[in-house]
Amino acid sequence: MYDFDGMVGQIYDAAVEPGRWPQVLETLSDFLEGAATKLTFQNTRTLRSEANSVRMPPEADLTYARYYYKTNVFLPRIARLRAGTLIPIWELLPREVYRRSEFYNDFCRPGDMCHSIGVVLANESDTRVVFTCGRAETTGEFEPEHLDRLRRIGPHLVRAASVGLRLSRSEIARSANVEALDRVAQGVLIVAANGEILFANRVAEALLTEADGIRTEKSALRAARRADAAHFQRLIVAAAERSDTAGGVMALARPAPRRPLSVLVAPLKTKSTWFVAGRPAAIVFVADPDSTPRTVQAQLRNLYRLTPAEAAVAIAIARCEGLQAAADELGVSLTTARTHLQHVFEKTETRRQAELVRLIAASVVYE
């Protein structure tokens, strides 16, 4: 006899405490009379996938994330399934196709995942989560009784996944120190790869309300002007996915006489949990050159003992205006502006312009 209610309780505990999932997978393996059990996470944009498993070889999760997700013959078919769909694998793929595949011979057989059943836990715009329980070739296939058991426990797994994903979005915002970001003197937004807004500070909220350079479209961040939209979205995707061209800067045009918004998009580093699964996220800094408080320069000088020229260079970098603009404003050469910037790096203990922008965003507050 199985303590079904106790198992359900364990599942919901794991939804809010991801460290409990290995124990839950062990329990589910026993309940379904399987061997290896795993959760598979897939980034629906890049198709990169990773698995967290029990009762598989120690290196299985690492090799899956590095290579074998590319050979998983089931993932393209699972992509079409809704959350809550049960997966008897033979309904997805003929046996002979599976058994001839590299995925079966080099990954599933050594890991006792030859016969498997599962359920789609989530199939969202950026994340797909699948639970799978497997058996060794010699054990034989699962019986209808095991599918009935999975049918009973499946809805609880789906709801736990939904809770976990919602909590992961909140965790991303918390890890970015939301309280501090809300006092920053420029707009700061945390967004997913598809532009979904996970957090916006009060400056950004005001800009969004006015649709002044940036706007929302079905809860996603977009450039207000169509001509800027594609490039802005590419910056967000590149930063969130941490590609070789991660993030960047651009100007978002606004109606005259307002000057364009200066925007910096950068990757957001967060701790990954089972249901975050490396959830892609980017942080977007939006500087409005027409409304930056005059006290900013004074704040920077007091905080970091900058000279007036160094503070002016730092502000130009924060506005994404570049060194040449700072040199022109100060009436100095570009070489002199670079020297000022180097002094700013030394005094603020930063090394790159992106780090300096983040520091200024977290340091400058409203009076």
Side-chain angles (χ1 to χ4, degrees):
M1 293 293 293
Y2 292 94
D3 180 5
F4 188 82
D5 290 340
M7 182 168 53
V8 169
Q10 288 181 37
I11 289 171
Y12 289 115
D13 286 343
V16 296
E17 296 183 53
R20 294 177 177 266
W21 276 107
Q23 179 185 352
V24 172
L25 292 178
E26 293 276 4
T27 302
L28 290 170
S29 183
D30 291 339
F31 177 65
L32 297 170
E33 297 182 344
T37 310
K38 66 187 178 81
L39 291 173
T40 301
F41 304 93
Q42 184 178 40
N43 182 312
T44 57
R45 288 183 172 273
T46 66
L47 301 185
R48 289 190 62 85
S49 303
E50 60 185 64
N52 292 281
S53 63
V54 299
R55 301 181 182 178
M56 291 190 77
E59 71 281 0
D61 292 345
L62 181 60
T63 58
Y64 185 85
R66 287 181 174 176
Y67 175 73
Y68 284 106
Y69 78 91
K70 302 175 186 177
T71 70
N72 188 335
V73 290
F74 296 108
L75 285 183
R77 292 158 176 82
I78 290 173
R80 300 191 294 266
L81 304 179
R82 293 182 300 177
T85 304
L86 259 63
I87 311 170
I89 60 172
W90 307 132
E91 294 184 7
L92 296 179
L93 195 69
R95 286 174 170 79
E96 59 274 14
V97 175
Y98 172 52
R99 290 199 168 106
R100 286 198 305 266
S101 70
E102 179 183 6
F103 182 63
Y104 171 79
N105 287 286
D106 293 351
F107 184 80
C108 294
R109 288 187 66 181
D112 288 343
M113 291 289 289
C114 297
H115 305 289
S116 60
I117 55 176
V119 61
V120 179
L121 303 189
N123 202 347
E124 300 191 353
S125 59
D126 60 351
T127 304
R128 186 171 296 119
V129 186
V130 180
F131 165 79
T132 312
C133 183
R135 279 181 164 184
E137 185 69 59
T138 54
T139 306
E141 297 183 16
F142 288 94
E143 302 293 338
E145 171 193 354
H146 302 112
L147 278 173
D148 289 340
R149 294 182 185 182
L150 183 59
R151 195 171 286 110
R152 288 181 62 200
I153 202 66
H156 298 289
L157 289 168
V158 171
R159 283 194 285 273
S162 178
V163 169
L165 287 171
R166 286 200 299 272
L167 289 176
S168 77
R169 295 181 177 95
S170 300
E171 185 60 35
I172 286 173
R174 282 198 300 272
S175 67
N177 198 346
V178 166
E179 183 177 354
L181 293 180
D182 207 34
R183 301 185 65 215
V184 170
Q186 60 180 276
V188 183
L189 303 102
I190 300 169
V191 298
N194 62 357
E196 176 191 359
I197 298 172
L198 307 176
F199 167 80
N201 73 348
R202 59 179 178 173
V203 179
E205 289 281 8
L207 292 169
L208 290 169
T209 299
E210 297 178 8
D212 189 21
I214 56 175
R215 63 183 180 87
T216 56
E217 180 182 290
K218 297 180 179 179
S219 301
L221 177 64
R222 297 288 184 260
R225 290 174 65 96
R226 187 183 301 272
D228 297 329
H231 182 49
F232 187 42
Q233 183 59 27
R234 282 195 297 270
L235 289 181
I236 291 173
V237 171
E241 305 294 358
R242 293 167 175 79
S243 70
D244 293 338
T245 57
V249 299
M250 71 175 296
L252 295 179
R254 299 188 293 176
R258 290 181 174 180
R259 289 181 290 172
L261 297 176
S262 297
V263 174
L264 181 143
V265 184
L268 178 67
K269 296 181 179 179
T270 59
K271 293 182 179 179
S272 177
T273 63
W274 282 56
F275 275 115
V276 173
R279 178 178 172 81
I283 188 163
V284 181
F285 296 95
V286 184
D288 183 351
D290 294 334
S291 63
T292 302
R294 295 180 179 179
T295 57
V296 170
Q297 188 172 112
Q299 290 183 46
L300 291 177
R301 290 180 62 189
N302 292 334
L303 285 170
Y304 302 108
R305 297 183 180 179
L306 303 182
T307 67
E310 290 165 355
V313 169
I315 291 171
I317 297 302
R319 291 175 177 171
C320 306
E321 293 175 352
L323 271 179
Q324 187 61 62
D328 294 343
E329 181 178 338
L330 292 170
V332 299
S333 68
L334 185 58
T335 300
T336 301
R338 287 197 182 99
T339 301
H340 289 320
L341 179 59
Q342 186 57 45
H343 293 161
V344 172
F345 284 154
E346 292 169 0
K347 292 180 179 181
T348 59
E349 297 183 359
T350 56
R351 292 179 296 176
R352 299 184 181 89
Q353 292 187 21
E355 293 178 19
L356 179 62
V357 170
R358 293 191 189 96
L359 180 70
I360 292 173
S363 302
V364 178
V365 299
Y366 286 106
E367 297 294 334

